[in-house]
Amino acid sequence: YAGLIRWTVVFRVAYAALLTVGQYLVWASGGLTRAFLNAPLDPSMPVPLVQNFPWLFDNRFGYFIFYSWARFWLSAVVALVAAWLFWRFLRSLERRNDRFFDEGEVLLGGLCALVVGWPGVVVFVGLAFLFVILASVYRRIFLEESYTTLGVPILAAAAVTFFWGNAIVEITGLGVLRI
């Protein structure tokens, strides 16, 4: 799983970089859009990012950097941070009581959170906890087992999120989290 996590992180970063390069090429090839590549942003602009890092945006590529960050890089960074936080949560759970996990399930949870991305990770985490509860009830009533590991519920939550995550985001009103 660790190798898959590394490849997924590389993919997210490479995809954002590819989109940035593509945007640059599209704007550089057009007559009117070329102006976007030569437009600095005024540091007094009421955007905290621009105000806190004026040296980054008060130059020839200021608008392009701002646009690329907001459109391509921010969602990748938020997805990586959210997946890392979920992985850290699972690690802390494992350290507290490792009976909830079979070997590799913590990494599997981090990998699934990376794959579903942002805002899918919000749906994924909610579904993972719901599926853990449902699996626990099922195992307790029908199998008379006391403990439930988190691997199968995590995989089920990832599958549902991967295939129907966008619909769930819209139905639940989580569309406001889209970047």
Side-chain angles (χ1 to χ4, degrees):
Y1 295 124
L4 290 173
I5 288 172
R6 281 190 289 278
W7 277 108
T8 307
V9 169
V10 167
F11 173 79
R12 290 232 175 252
V13 171
Y15 185 65
L18 181 68
L19 290 174
T20 302
V21 169
Q23 188 67 57
Y24 179 86
L25 294 174
V26 167
W27 282 358
S29 68
L32 292 175
T33 57
R34 190 175 312 217
F36 293 135
L37 295 177
N38 297 313
L41 290 180
D42 185 4
S44 65
M45 191 173 155
V47 176
L49 184 66
V50 176
Q51 291 176 342
N52 291 330
F53 301 99
W55 53 270
L56 188 59
F57 300 105
D58 190 21
N59 64 59
R60 177 179 161 219
F61 293 108
Y63 181 74
F64 175 72
I65 293 169
F66 181 76
Y67 183 90
S68 298
W69 168 255
R71 298 286 190 267
F72 312 131
W73 290 96
L74 183 58
S75 64
V77 168
V78 171
L80 293 173
V81 168
W84 179 78
L85 288 172
F86 184 64
W87 174 76
R88 293 294 299 165
F89 171 74
L90 292 178
R91 288 262 315 198
S92 67
L93 251 165
E94 182 184 40
R95 284 186 179 146
R96 202 151 200 240
N97 197 346
D98 65 346
R99 73 172 186 243
F100 296 121
F101 301 96
D102 284 335
E103 188 172 341
E105 288 182 343
V106 171
L107 288 174
L108 175 66
L111 175 64
C112 289
L114 276 173
V115 168
V116 298
W118 182 262
V121 71
V122 177
V123 172
F124 164 70
V125 169
L127 286 175
F129 288 123
L130 175 66
F131 290 163
V132 165
I133 292 169
L134 293 175
S136 295
V137 169
Y138 174 81
R139 289 173 68 96
R140 186 71 157 143
I141 292 173
F142 295 109
L143 304 178
E144 297 179 4
E145 295 178 3
S146 300
Y147 300 116
T148 300
T149 59
L150 301 179
V152 172
I154 283 174
L155 282 174
V160 169
T161 304
F162 189 76
F163 291 109
W164 297 291
N166 285 332
I168 294 170
V169 164
E170 291 305 318
I171 290 169
T172 58
L174 294 172
V176 298
L177 297 175
R178 283 203 169 93
I179 297 175

